[in-house]
Amino acid sequence: MSKANLYKAPRGTFDILPGQSYKWQWITEKFREIASVFNYREIVTPIFEVVDLFERSVGSTTDIVEKEMYIFTDRKDRVFALRPEGTAPVVRSTIENHLQKDGNISKLFYLGPMFRYDRPQKGRYRQFYQYGIELIGSRHPYNDAEVIWFADMFVRNLGIKDFCLEINSIGCPKCSIEYDKVLVSFFSKYKPDLCPDCHNRIATNPKRLLDCKVSKCRTIAKDAPLILDYLDQECDYHFKNVCSYLDYLNIKYDINPFIVRGLDYYNRTAFEITDTSRKTQNALLGGGRYDGLFATLGGSDTPAIGFAGGFERLIGAMEQNNLCFGNEPAPDAYLIIIGDRAVPEGLKLIMELRDKGIKTEYNIEKNSLKAQMKAAANSKARYALMLGDDEIDTKTITIKDLDKGIQNTYPQEYLITFLIKS
RNA sequence: GUGGCUGUAGUUCAAUCGGUUAGAGCACUGGAUUGUGGUUCCAGGUGUUGUGGGUUCGAGUCCCAUCAGCCACCCCA
């Protein structure tokens, strides 16, 4: 072990092994299918960006930029960060490449690894894989609902049933000025009972006070004034409309006034889907509206909304419920060659099969029929194709159905049609 | 980043109070059956006990460090 394991995957990272990779593919396929149905197009951005992009967009007081970024300097002393999230890069690219024309909507999706320097745990990794969408160029509440609809449909299509969709509105900067004041004065009354983190939150980010997991703070927060009661008229109207559209679409949701997304750029609609069969690391996906981000990053005033979620969490939820990831890849046919005389014929055959797109395996290093049969069974191939002296003499091939255990000998010309038919 | 638990064949787990050559199932390979796999029987290697130090006549076992995983906090995907 020690010699073979001199090198290990870095802490918090993992290899997606051959026995697992089809699960990633399955989820990717499902995601692409829904993206296609909703008319989203893929965008691929670099895995690292100048660190400033994330500081400006995600917010300099958030945990992500304060302590979770992988930052490095290149040979010309430029400071970069491995992307901790996907929205800021997409917005940067949209601005840089003038993808967004006023009055139009851009619908983009992305897939790829993200990086956060957290302490690893099950369901929490330093390199993890996300899927996400961004709907850019509309402030209409219908589009909030449509993005949520996409999320809901995706999770549902994977077969996940134990999940909960929660939505909230965190208002706009204007509402926040008023609401933050109310929060500060409310929590200040309980200052001695609050945890040290919450002491800081009073000064830096009052809304996060609602988010604290410390039980004492939680009890206090339970009676805190709710943002929903402090939305200005436009925000209130917007939120009610989002809810109405969700109702029209027959999407079940709960309103949870304690949802405060961890990134600074969100405004108005915020939502999360959580895995209800799990107590920790149970956020499947989360998103919200970010109408101010384009301006923050130097673009024109462009409203947008999106969400992102993690592959690992989905796989965890699916495995826990024994859900199907499609078929594990296996060959259609396994060629078994008996005797040296059949080798040239066999090679001709395997060439023909592969040319026709039939997934065929053959192991020239296994000699005995028994060993080859065993290898065929282990490969999970549907059919074993046996070619020996008898078959050569009669220009036939013996086909054995490895599940049913029955076999028949057919003329060689019939083989391709047989395999294509079944 | 804080606190705790754990680390033994490929894998799941044993190994008495610190005692001599570290064991078993599954998996793997070969054979029984040179034209038949998933059943059975037989045989085979499974290893620097995560790594590095220390204590001891003697360490898988005790101590320290380190790495990794897990749990809780935190954070979120």
Side-chain angles (χ1 to χ4, degrees), chain A residues 1 119 124 130 201 261 283-284 313 369 391 402 407:
Chain A
M1 186 181 222
R119 183 130 166 201
R124 188 170 79 181
Q130 282 199 334
R201 286 175 181 138
R261 304 281 314 150
L284 289 176
R313 300 277 170 93
L369 174 57
E391 286 84 0
L402 289 170
Q407 71 182 50

mmCIF file of all heavy atoms in Angstrom, chain A residues 1 119 124 130 201 261 283-284 313 369 391 402 407, chain B residues 2-3 35-37 48 68-69 71 74-77:
data_model
loop_
_atom_site.group_PDB
_atom_site.id
_atom_site.type_symbol
_atom_site.label_atom_id
_atom_site.label_comp_id
_atom_site.label_asym_id
_atom_site.label_seq_id
_atom_site.Cartn_x
_atom_site.Cartn_y
_atom_site.Cartn_z
ATOM 1 N N MET A 1 0.822 -1.194 0.000
ATOM 2 C CA MET A 1 0.000 0.000 0.000
ATOM 3 C C MET A 1 0.868 1.261 0.000
ATOM 4 O O MET A 1 0.612 2.198 -0.737
ATOM 5 C CB MET A 1 -0.910 -0.009 1.215
ATOM 6 C CG MET A 1 -1.899 1.144 1.200
ATOM 7 S SD MET A 1 -2.949 1.146 2.632
ATOM 8 C CE MET A 1 -4.536 1.541 1.925
ATOM 9 N N ARG A 119 -13.087 22.936 5.249
ATOM 10 C CA ARG A 119 -12.682 21.662 5.836
ATOM 11 C C ARG A 119 -13.564 20.570 5.253
ATOM 12 O O ARG A 119 -14.787 20.656 5.330
ATOM 13 C CB ARG A 119 -12.861 21.725 7.354
ATOM 14 C CG ARG A 119 -12.398 20.480 8.031
ATOM 15 C CD ARG A 119 -11.481 20.841 9.157
ATOM 16 N NE ARG A 119 -11.282 19.708 10.037
ATOM 17 C CZ ARG A 119 -10.864 19.817 11.286
ATOM 18 N NH1 ARG A 119 -10.646 21.000 11.798
ATOM 19 N NH2 ARG A 119 -10.667 18.756 12.008
ATOM 20 N N ARG A 124 -19.091 17.667 1.171
ATOM 21 C CA ARG A 124 -18.446 18.985 1.102
ATOM 22 C C ARG A 124 -16.991 18.791 0.711
ATOM 23 O O ARG A 124 -16.228 18.161 1.427
ATOM 24 C CB ARG A 124 -18.548 19.684 2.442
ATOM 25 C CG ARG A 124 -18.076 21.124 2.371
ATOM 26 C CD ARG A 124 -18.395 21.858 3.632
ATOM 27 N NE ARG A 124 -17.442 21.545 4.680
ATOM 28 C CZ ARG A 124 -17.510 22.051 5.921
ATOM 29 N NH1 ARG A 124 -18.489 22.860 6.246
ATOM 30 N NH2 ARG A 124 -16.624 21.738 6.817
ATOM 31 N N GLN A 130 -20.421 21.701 -10.201
ATOM 32 C CA GLN A 130 -21.706 22.392 -10.207
ATOM 33 C C GLN A 130 -22.314 22.453 -11.601
ATOM 34 O O GLN A 130 -21.625 22.426 -12.608
ATOM 35 C CB GLN A 130 -21.549 23.825 -9.692
ATOM 36 C CG GLN A 130 -21.435 23.910 -8.183
ATOM 37 C CD GLN A 130 -21.748 25.308 -7.654
ATOM 38 O OE1 GLN A 130 -21.585 26.299 -8.358
ATOM 39 N NE2 GLN A 130 -22.201 25.379 -6.428
ATOM 40 N N ARG A 201 -22.031 40.438 12.977
ATOM 41 C CA ARG A 201 -23.047 40.560 11.942
ATOM 42 C C ARG A 201 -23.877 41.819 12.127
ATOM 43 O O ARG A 201 -24.340 42.405 11.148
ATOM 44 C CB ARG A 201 -23.950 39.319 11.948
ATOM 45 C CG ARG A 201 -23.251 38.100 11.371
ATOM 46 C CD ARG A 201 -24.088 36.845 11.487
ATOM 47 N NE ARG A 201 -23.360 35.696 10.941
ATOM 48 C CZ ARG A 201 -23.344 34.498 11.507
ATOM 49 N NH1 ARG A 201 -24.014 34.268 12.621
ATOM 50 N NH2 ARG A 201 -22.660 33.508 10.948
ATOM 51 N N ARG A 261 -29.361 34.241 1.277
ATOM 52 C CA ARG A 261 -28.284 33.588 0.538
ATOM 53 C C ARG A 261 -26.943 34.174 0.981
ATOM 54 O O ARG A 261 -26.836 35.341 1.332
ATOM 55 C CB ARG A 261 -28.487 33.753 -0.963
ATOM 56 C CG ARG A 261 -29.825 33.247 -1.464
ATOM 57 C CD ARG A 261 -29.878 31.738 -1.623
ATOM 58 N NE ARG A 261 -28.707 31.214 -2.309
ATOM 59 C CZ ARG A 261 -28.205 30.014 -2.109
ATOM 60 N NH1 ARG A 261 -28.754 29.215 -1.222
ATOM 61 N NH2 ARG A 261 -27.152 29.616 -2.773
ATOM 62 N N ALA A 283 -28.182 21.064 1.211
ATOM 63 C CA ALA A 283 -28.599 21.991 0.160
ATOM 64 C C ALA A 283 -28.301 21.377 -1.200
ATOM 65 O O ALA A 283 -27.154 21.096 -1.523
ATOM 66 C CB ALA A 283 -27.875 23.322 0.312
ATOM 67 N N LEU A 284 -29.326 21.108 -1.964
ATOM 68 C CA LEU A 284 -29.108 20.537 -3.291
ATOM 69 C C LEU A 284 -28.761 21.643 -4.283
ATOM 70 O O LEU A 284 -27.858 21.488 -5.097
ATOM 71 C CB LEU A 284 -30.353 19.788 -3.760
ATOM 72 C CG LEU A 284 -30.648 18.473 -3.041
ATOM 73 C CD1 LEU A 284 -31.957 17.885 -3.538
ATOM 74 C CD2 LEU A 284 -29.519 17.483 -3.260
ATOM 75 N N ARG A 313 -24.037 16.326 -4.200
ATOM 76 C CA ARG A 313 -25.236 16.286 -3.358
ATOM 77 C C ARG A 313 -26.353 15.506 -4.038
ATOM 78 O O ARG A 313 -27.083 14.756 -3.405
ATOM 79 C CB ARG A 313 -25.720 17.701 -3.059
ATOM 80 C CG ARG A 313 -24.700 18.566 -2.337
ATOM 81 C CD ARG A 313 -24.699 18.353 -0.846
ATOM 82 N NE ARG A 313 -23.576 19.014 -0.211
ATOM 83 C CZ ARG A 313 -23.609 20.249 0.298
ATOM 84 N NH1 ARG A 313 -24.723 20.949 0.243
ATOM 85 N NH2 ARG A 313 -22.533 20.759 0.856
ATOM 86 N N LEU A 369 -11.091 -21.412 -23.127
ATOM 87 C CA LEU A 369 -12.476 -21.000 -23.338
ATOM 88 C C LEU A 369 -13.088 -20.571 -22.013
ATOM 89 O O LEU A 369 -13.808 -19.586 -21.917
ATOM 90 C CB LEU A 369 -13.262 -22.169 -23.937
ATOM 91 C CG LEU A 369 -14.760 -21.943 -24.090
ATOM 92 C CD1 LEU A 369 -15.038 -20.723 -24.931
ATOM 93 C CD2 LEU A 369 -15.405 -23.161 -24.704
ATOM 94 N N GLU A 391 -16.844 -23.416 -36.245
ATOM 95 C CA GLU A 391 -17.493 -22.258 -36.866
ATOM 96 C C GLU A 391 -16.757 -21.832 -38.133
ATOM 97 O O GLU A 391 -17.397 -21.456 -39.114
ATOM 98 C CB GLU A 391 -17.562 -21.085 -35.875
ATOM 99 C CG GLU A 391 -18.601 -21.238 -34.782
ATOM 100 C CD GLU A 391 -18.123 -22.057 -33.601
ATOM 101 O OE1 GLU A 391 -16.963 -22.519 -33.627
ATOM 102 O OE2 GLU A 391 -18.916 -22.261 -32.656
ATOM 103 N N LEU A 402 -25.750 -14.188 -22.498
ATOM 104 C CA LEU A 402 -25.117 -14.447 -21.200
ATOM 105 C C LEU A 402 -26.071 -14.297 -20.018
ATOM 106 O O LEU A 402 -25.806 -14.829 -18.946
ATOM 107 C CB LEU A 402 -23.898 -13.537 -21.016
ATOM 108 C CG LEU A 402 -22.706 -13.898 -21.911
ATOM 109 C CD1 LEU A 402 -21.654 -12.813 -21.857
ATOM 110 C CD2 LEU A 402 -22.109 -15.234 -21.522
ATOM 111 N N GLN A 407 -27.725 -20.588 -26.154
ATOM 112 C CA GLN A 407 -26.877 -20.258 -27.287
ATOM 113 C C GLN A 407 -27.338 -20.954 -28.547
ATOM 114 O O GLN A 407 -28.009 -21.982 -28.512
ATOM 115 C CB GLN A 407 -25.426 -20.627 -26.992
ATOM 116 C CG GLN A 407 -25.151 -22.114 -26.956
ATOM 117 C CD GLN A 407 -23.705 -22.399 -26.617
ATOM 118 O OE1 GLN A 407 -23.174 -21.879 -25.657
ATOM 119 N NE2 GLN A 407 -23.065 -23.238 -27.430
ATOM 120 P P U B 2 -7.618 25.604 13.787
ATOM 121 O OP1 U B 2 -6.419 25.825 14.615
ATOM 122 O OP2 U B 2 -7.634 24.498 12.813
ATOM 123 O "O5'" U B 2 -8.876 25.463 14.749
ATOM 124 C "C5'" U B 2 -9.119 26.428 15.761
ATOM 125 C "C4'" U B 2 -10.314 26.036 16.585
ATOM 126 O "O4'" U B 2 -11.516 26.132 15.773
ATOM 127 C "C3'" U B 2 -10.321 24.583 17.068
ATOM 128 O "O3'" U B 2 -9.543 24.396 18.230
ATOM 129 C "C2'" U B 2 -11.800 24.334 17.310
ATOM 130 O "O2'" U B 2 -12.239 24.904 18.523
ATOM 131 C "C1'" U B 2 -12.426 25.110 16.140
ATOM 132 N N1 U B 2 -12.658 24.237 14.967
ATOM 133 C C2 U B 2 -13.764 23.396 14.993
ATOM 134 O O2 U B 2 -14.526 23.342 15.924
ATOM 135 N N3 U B 2 -13.909 22.618 13.881
ATOM 136 C C4 U B 2 -13.092 22.586 12.758
ATOM 137 O O4 U B 2 -13.354 21.830 11.830
ATOM 138 C C5 U B 2 -11.975 23.478 12.818
ATOM 139 C C6 U B 2 -11.803 24.257 13.888
ATOM 140 P P G B 3 -8.797 22.986 18.471
ATOM 141 O OP1 G B 3 -7.896 23.161 19.636
ATOM 142 O OP2 G B 3 -8.248 22.497 17.192
ATOM 143 O "O5'" G B 3 -9.995 22.038 18.901
ATOM 144 C "C5'" G B 3 -10.598 22.183 20.183
ATOM 145 C "C4'" G B 3 -11.806 21.302 20.309
ATOM 146 O "O4'" G B 3 -12.754 21.626 19.242
ATOM 147 C "C3'" G B 3 -11.561 19.804 20.116
ATOM 148 O "O3'" G B 3 -11.033 19.178 21.255
ATOM 149 C "C2'" G B 3 -12.962 19.319 19.765
ATOM 150 O "O2'" G B 3 -13.786 19.259 20.913
ATOM 151 C "C1'" G B 3 -13.443 20.448 18.854
ATOM 152 N N9 G B 3 -13.122 20.146 17.452
ATOM 153 C C8 G B 3 -12.105 20.652 16.675
ATOM 154 N N7 G B 3 -12.077 20.151 15.457
ATOM 155 C C5 G B 3 -13.146 19.257 15.443
ATOM 156 C C6 G B 3 -13.623 18.412 14.411
ATOM 157 O O6 G B 3 -13.188 18.282 13.261
ATOM 158 N N1 G B 3 -14.726 17.659 14.821
ATOM 159 C C2 G B 3 -15.290 17.725 16.064
ATOM 160 N N2 G B 3 -16.343 16.936 16.290
ATOM 161 N N3 G B 3 -14.864 18.506 17.042
ATOM 162 C C4 G B 3 -13.793 19.248 16.658
ATOM 163 P P G B 35 -11.217 -27.532 -26.303
ATOM 164 O OP1 G B 35 -11.418 -28.755 -27.074
ATOM 165 O OP2 G B 35 -10.546 -26.365 -26.919
ATOM 166 O "O5'" G B 35 -12.660 -27.053 -25.876
ATOM 167 C "C5'" G B 35 -13.023 -26.609 -24.613
ATOM 168 C "C4'" G B 35 -14.449 -26.143 -24.770
ATOM 169 O "O4'" G B 35 -14.578 -25.503 -26.057
ATOM 170 C "C3'" G B 35 -15.449 -27.297 -24.742
ATOM 171 O "O3'" G B 35 -16.581 -26.895 -23.998
ATOM 172 C "C2'" G B 35 -15.812 -27.495 -26.206
ATOM 173 O "O2'" G B 35 -17.140 -27.910 -26.368
ATOM 174 C "C1'" G B 35 -15.650 -26.077 -26.769
ATOM 175 N N9 G B 35 -15.314 -26.071 -28.195
ATOM 176 C C8 G B 35 -14.301 -26.730 -28.826
ATOM 177 N N7 G B 35 -14.260 -26.514 -30.116
ATOM 178 C C5 G B 35 -15.325 -25.652 -30.342
ATOM 179 C C6 G B 35 -15.792 -25.080 -31.550
ATOM 180 O O6 G B 35 -15.327 -25.219 -32.682
ATOM 181 N N1 G B 35 -16.897 -24.286 -31.341
ATOM 182 C C2 G B 35 -17.483 -24.057 -30.120
ATOM 183 N N2 G B 35 -18.533 -23.260 -30.107
ATOM 184 N N3 G B 35 -17.060 -24.580 -28.976
ATOM 185 C C4 G B 35 -15.991 -25.370 -29.175
ATOM 186 P P U B 36 -16.644 -27.388 -22.458
ATOM 187 O OP1 U B 36 -15.291 -27.761 -22.002
ATOM 188 O OP2 U B 36 -17.753 -28.382 -22.411
ATOM 189 O "O5'" U B 36 -17.084 -26.105 -21.647
ATOM 190 C "C5'" U B 36 -16.139 -25.053 -21.349
ATOM 191 C "C4'" U B 36 -16.902 -23.786 -21.050
ATOM 192 O "O4'" U B 36 -17.396 -23.224 -22.296
ATOM 193 C "C3'" U B 36 -18.117 -24.015 -20.162
ATOM 194 O "O3'" U B 36 -18.255 -22.914 -19.290
ATOM 195 C "C2'" U B 36 -19.279 -24.042 -21.149
ATOM 196 O "O2'" U B 36 -20.500 -23.603 -20.597
ATOM 197 C "C1'" U B 36 -18.789 -23.062 -22.221
ATOM 198 N N1 U B 36 -19.337 -23.345 -23.555
ATOM 199 C C2 U B 36 -20.329 -22.528 -24.047
ATOM 200 O O2 U B 36 -20.777 -21.595 -23.408
ATOM 201 N N3 U B 36 -20.779 -22.847 -25.298
ATOM 202 C C4 U B 36 -20.344 -23.872 -26.089
ATOM 203 O O4 U B 36 -20.829 -24.027 -27.202
ATOM 204 C C5 U B 36 -19.313 -24.679 -25.518
ATOM 205 C C6 U B 36 -18.852 -24.408 -24.296
ATOM 206 P P G B 37 -18.066 -23.160 -17.728
ATOM 207 O OP1 G B 37 -16.700 -23.607 -17.453
ATOM 208 O OP2 G B 37 -19.209 -23.969 -17.270
ATOM 209 O "O5'" G B 37 -18.243 -21.677 -17.178
ATOM 210 C "C5'" G B 37 -17.111 -20.826 -17.066
ATOM 211 C "C4'" G B 37 -17.550 -19.425 -16.731
ATOM 212 O "O4'" G B 37 -18.278 -18.868 -17.842
ATOM 213 C "C3'" G B 37 -18.540 -19.334 -15.572
ATOM 214 O "O3'" G B 37 -17.857 -19.338 -14.337
ATOM 215 C "C2'" G B 37 -19.225 -18.009 -15.837
ATOM 216 O "O2'" G B 37 -18.417 -16.920 -15.429
ATOM 217 C "C1'" G B 37 -19.285 -17.995 -17.373
ATOM 218 N N9 G B 37 -20.570 -18.450 -17.906
ATOM 219 C C8 G B 37 -20.882 -19.700 -18.383
ATOM 220 N N7 G B 37 -22.112 -19.793 -18.837
ATOM 221 C C5 G B 37 -22.640 -18.523 -18.641
ATOM 222 C C6 G B 37 -23.923 -18.008 -18.935
ATOM 223 O O6 G B 37 -24.880 -18.585 -19.455
ATOM 224 N N1 G B 37 -24.040 -16.675 -18.556
ATOM 225 C C2 G B 37 -23.045 -15.929 -17.981
ATOM 226 N N2 G B 37 -23.349 -14.680 -17.691
ATOM 227 N N3 G B 37 -21.836 -16.393 -17.713
ATOM 228 C C4 G B 37 -21.708 -17.686 -18.064
ATOM 229 P P U B 48 2.701 -2.997 2.091
ATOM 230 O OP1 U B 48 1.903 -1.778 2.088
ATOM 231 O OP2 U B 48 3.295 -3.509 0.836
ATOM 232 O "O5'" U B 48 3.878 -2.813 3.173
ATOM 233 C "C5'" U B 48 4.551 -3.925 3.668
ATOM 234 C "C4'" U B 48 5.155 -3.593 5.021
ATOM 235 O "O4'" U B 48 6.583 -3.441 4.858
ATOM 236 C "C3'" U B 48 4.671 -2.281 5.656
ATOM 237 O "O3'" U B 48 4.774 -2.407 7.069
ATOM 238 C "C2'" U B 48 5.701 -1.275 5.206
ATOM 239 O "O2'" U B 48 5.854 -0.169 6.075
ATOM 240 C "C1'" U B 48 6.974 -2.141 5.240
ATOM 241 N N1 U B 48 7.992 -1.694 4.280
ATOM 242 C C2 U B 48 9.017 -0.885 4.743
ATOM 243 O O2 U B 48 9.097 -0.526 5.905
ATOM 244 N N3 U B 48 9.922 -0.510 3.801
ATOM 245 C C4 U B 48 9.921 -0.852 2.468
ATOM 246 O O4 U B 48 10.819 -0.430 1.733
ATOM 247 C C5 U B 48 8.836 -1.684 2.050
ATOM 248 C C6 U B 48 7.927 -2.071 2.953
ATOM 249 P P A B 68 -3.866 16.125 4.128
ATOM 250 O OP1 A B 68 -3.988 16.811 2.833
ATOM 251 O OP2 A B 68 -4.124 16.858 5.384
ATOM 252 O "O5'" A B 68 -4.804 14.836 4.126
ATOM 253 C "C5'" A B 68 -4.836 13.979 3.001
ATOM 254 C "C4'" A B 68 -5.594 12.725 3.312
ATOM 255 O "O4'" A B 68 -4.979 12.047 4.435
ATOM 256 C "C3'" A B 68 -7.039 12.913 3.762
ATOM 257 O "O3'" A B 68 -7.914 13.141 2.679
ATOM 258 C "C2'" A B 68 -7.310 11.587 4.465
ATOM 259 O "O2'" A B 68 -7.505 10.554 3.532
ATOM 260 C "C1'" A B 68 -5.968 11.355 5.177
ATOM 261 N N9 A B 68 -5.990 11.892 6.549
ATOM 262 C C8 A B 68 -5.474 13.076 7.017
ATOM 263 N N7 A B 68 -5.659 13.256 8.309
ATOM 264 C C5 A B 68 -6.350 12.122 8.709
ATOM 265 C C6 A B 68 -6.839 11.692 9.957
ATOM 266 N N6 A B 68 -6.718 12.398 11.078
ATOM 267 N N1 A B 68 -7.489 10.509 10.014
ATOM 268 C C2 A B 68 -7.619 9.799 8.883
ATOM 269 N N3 A B 68 -7.201 10.087 7.651
ATOM 270 C C4 A B 68 -6.567 11.273 7.640
ATOM 271 P P G B 69 -9.278 13.938 2.883
ATOM 272 O OP1 G B 69 -9.813 14.242 1.541
ATOM 273 O OP2 G B 69 -9.043 15.025 3.858
ATOM 274 O "O5'" G B 69 -10.218 12.851 3.567
ATOM 275 C "C5'" G B 69 -10.634 11.703 2.849
ATOM 276 C "C4'" G B 69 -11.320 10.738 3.774
ATOM 277 O "O4'" G B 69 -10.411 10.360 4.840
ATOM 278 C "C3'" G B 69 -12.534 11.281 4.511
ATOM 279 O "O3'" G B 69 -13.686 11.240 3.710
ATOM 280 C "C2'" G B 69 -12.617 10.338 5.703
ATOM 281 O "O2'" G B 69 -13.165 9.092 5.322
ATOM 282 C "C1'" G B 69 -11.135 10.137 6.032
ATOM 283 N N9 G B 69 -10.668 11.078 7.057
ATOM 284 C C8 G B 69 -9.910 12.211 6.866
ATOM 285 N N7 G B 69 -9.642 12.842 7.990
ATOM 286 C C5 G B 69 -10.256 12.078 8.968
ATOM 287 C C6 G B 69 -10.313 12.252 10.373
ATOM 288 O O6 G B 69 -9.821 13.156 11.051
ATOM 289 N N1 G B 69 -11.059 11.249 10.983
ATOM 290 C C2 G B 69 -11.660 10.205 10.331
ATOM 291 N N2 G B 69 -12.329 9.341 11.103
ATOM 292 N N3 G B 69 -11.607 10.023 9.024
ATOM 293 C C4 G B 69 -10.898 10.985 8.412
ATOM 294 P P C B 71 -19.612 12.466 7.625
ATOM 295 O OP1 C B 71 -20.944 12.004 7.201
ATOM 296 O OP2 C B 71 -18.963 13.601 6.952
ATOM 297 O "O5'" C B 71 -19.630 12.756 9.193
ATOM 298 C "C5'" C B 71 -20.278 11.861 10.090
ATOM 299 C "C4'" C B 71 -20.181 12.379 11.499
ATOM 300 O "O4'" C B 71 -18.799 12.367 11.946
ATOM 301 C "C3'" C B 71 -20.596 13.829 11.706
ATOM 302 O "O3'" C B 71 -21.997 14.000 11.735
ATOM 303 C "C2'" C B 71 -19.931 14.136 13.044
ATOM 304 O "O2'" C B 71 -20.644 13.570 14.115
ATOM 305 C "C1'" C B 71 -18.597 13.404 12.881
ATOM 306 N N1 C B 71 -17.532 14.306 12.385
ATOM 307 C C2 C B 71 -16.897 15.128 13.327
ATOM 308 O O2 C B 71 -17.247 15.062 14.510
ATOM 309 N N3 C B 71 -15.919 15.965 12.908
ATOM 310 C C4 C B 71 -15.575 16.006 11.618
ATOM 311 N N4 C B 71 -14.616 16.853 11.269
ATOM 312 C C5 C B 71 -16.220 15.185 10.648
ATOM 313 C C6 C B 71 -17.186 14.356 11.064
ATOM 314 P P C B 74 -23.308 26.075 13.733
ATOM 315 O OP1 C B 74 -24.072 27.163 14.362
ATOM 316 O OP2 C B 74 -24.012 25.017 12.987
ATOM 317 O "O5'" C B 74 -22.211 26.703 12.770
ATOM 318 C "C5'" C B 74 -21.440 27.824 13.186
ATOM 319 C "C4'" C B 74 -20.314 28.073 12.225
ATOM 320 O "O4'" C B 74 -19.494 26.872 12.130
ATOM 321 C "C3'" C B 74 -20.713 28.326 10.773
ATOM 322 O "O3'" C B 74 -21.143 29.656 10.557
ATOM 323 C "C2'" C B 74 -19.435 27.979 10.036
ATOM 324 O "O2'" C B 74 -18.479 29.009 10.173
ATOM 325 C "C1'" C B 74 -18.971 26.758 10.814
ATOM 326 N N1 C B 74 -19.492 25.502 10.206
ATOM 327 C C2 C B 74 -18.789 24.952 9.131
ATOM 328 O O2 C B 74 -17.767 25.529 8.726
ATOM 329 N N3 C B 74 -19.243 23.816 8.550
ATOM 330 C C4 C B 74 -20.354 23.232 9.010
ATOM 331 N N4 C B 74 -20.768 22.110 8.413
ATOM 332 C C5 C B 74 -21.093 23.762 10.094
ATOM 333 C C6 C B 74 -20.625 24.889 10.666
ATOM 334 P P C B 75 -22.463 29.905 9.716
ATOM 335 O OP1 C B 75 -22.707 31.355 9.761
ATOM 336 O OP2 C B 75 -23.514 28.965 10.153
ATOM 337 O "O5'" C B 75 -22.026 29.485 8.247
ATOM 338 C "C5'" C B 75 -21.096 30.290 7.525
ATOM 339 C "C4'" C B 75 -20.485 29.509 6.402
ATOM 340 O "O4'" C B 75 -20.107 28.193 6.865
ATOM 341 C "C3'" C B 75 -21.400 29.202 5.219
ATOM 342 O "O3'" C B 75 -21.538 30.322 4.356
ATOM 343 C "C2'" C B 75 -20.648 28.054 4.569
ATOM 344 O "O2'" C B 75 -19.526 28.516 3.856
ATOM 345 C "C1'" C B 75 -20.162 27.272 5.796
ATOM 346 N N1 C B 75 -21.101 26.165 6.137
ATOM 347 C C2 C B 75 -20.996 24.984 5.404
ATOM 348 O O2 C B 75 -20.125 24.903 4.528
ATOM 349 N N3 C B 75 -21.851 23.961 5.676
ATOM 350 C C4 C B 75 -22.769 24.089 6.624
ATOM 351 N N4 C B 75 -23.580 23.066 6.844
ATOM 352 C C5 C B 75 -22.899 25.295 7.378
ATOM 353 C C6 C B 75 -22.053 26.299 7.108
ATOM 354 P P C B 76 -22.997 30.758 3.866
ATOM 355 O OP1 C B 76 -22.789 31.910 2.996
ATOM 356 O OP2 C B 76 -23.913 30.846 5.030
ATOM 357 O "O5'" C B 76 -23.482 29.511 3.009
ATOM 358 C "C5'" C B 76 -23.369 29.510 1.609
ATOM 359 C "C4'" C B 76 -22.759 28.220 1.161
ATOM 360 O "O4'" C B 76 -22.625 27.332 2.293
ATOM 361 C "C3'" C B 76 -23.593 27.415 0.192
ATOM 362 O "O3'" C B 76 -23.392 27.890 -1.121
ATOM 363 C "C2'" C B 76 -23.022 26.016 0.371
ATOM 364 O "O2'" C B 76 -21.792 25.884 -0.298
ATOM 365 C "C1'" C B 76 -22.725 25.994 1.878
ATOM 366 N N1 C B 76 -23.746 25.300 2.692
ATOM 367 C C2 C B 76 -24.010 23.931 2.479
ATOM 368 O O2 C B 76 -23.387 23.340 1.592
ATOM 369 N N3 C B 76 -24.931 23.305 3.251
ATOM 370 C C4 C B 76 -25.565 23.983 4.208
ATOM 371 N N4 C B 76 -26.460 23.321 4.942
ATOM 372 C C5 C B 76 -25.335 25.363 4.437
ATOM 373 C C6 C B 76 -24.430 25.977 3.671
ATOM 374 P P A B 77 -24.490 27.703 -2.238
ATOM 375 O OP1 A B 77 -24.251 28.655 -3.328
ATOM 376 O OP2 A B 77 -25.758 27.720 -1.540
ATOM 377 O "O5'" A B 77 -24.228 26.224 -2.752
ATOM 378 C "C5'" A B 77 -24.478 25.933 -4.101
ATOM 379 C "C4'" A B 77 -24.519 24.446 -4.315
ATOM 380 O "O4'" A B 77 -23.185 23.891 -4.252
ATOM 381 C "C3'" A B 77 -25.352 23.708 -3.277
ATOM 382 O "O3'" A B 77 -26.149 22.741 -3.879
ATOM 383 C "C2'" A B 77 -24.339 23.093 -2.352
ATOM 384 O "O2'" A B 77 -24.737 21.828 -1.865
ATOM 385 C "C1'" A B 77 -23.114 22.926 -3.255
ATOM 386 N N9 A B 77 -21.877 23.173 -2.505
ATOM 387 C C8 A B 77 -21.474 24.349 -1.938
ATOM 388 N N7 A B 77 -20.317 24.281 -1.343
ATOM 389 C C5 A B 77 -19.915 22.971 -1.540
ATOM 390 C C6 A B 77 -18.766 22.271 -1.153
ATOM 391 N N6 A B 77 -17.772 22.828 -0.467
ATOM 392 N N1 A B 77 -18.670 20.969 -1.493
ATOM 393 C C2 A B 77 -19.680 20.421 -2.187
ATOM 394 N N3 A B 77 -20.822 20.990 -2.616
ATOM 395 C C4 A B 77 -20.870 22.275 -2.253
#
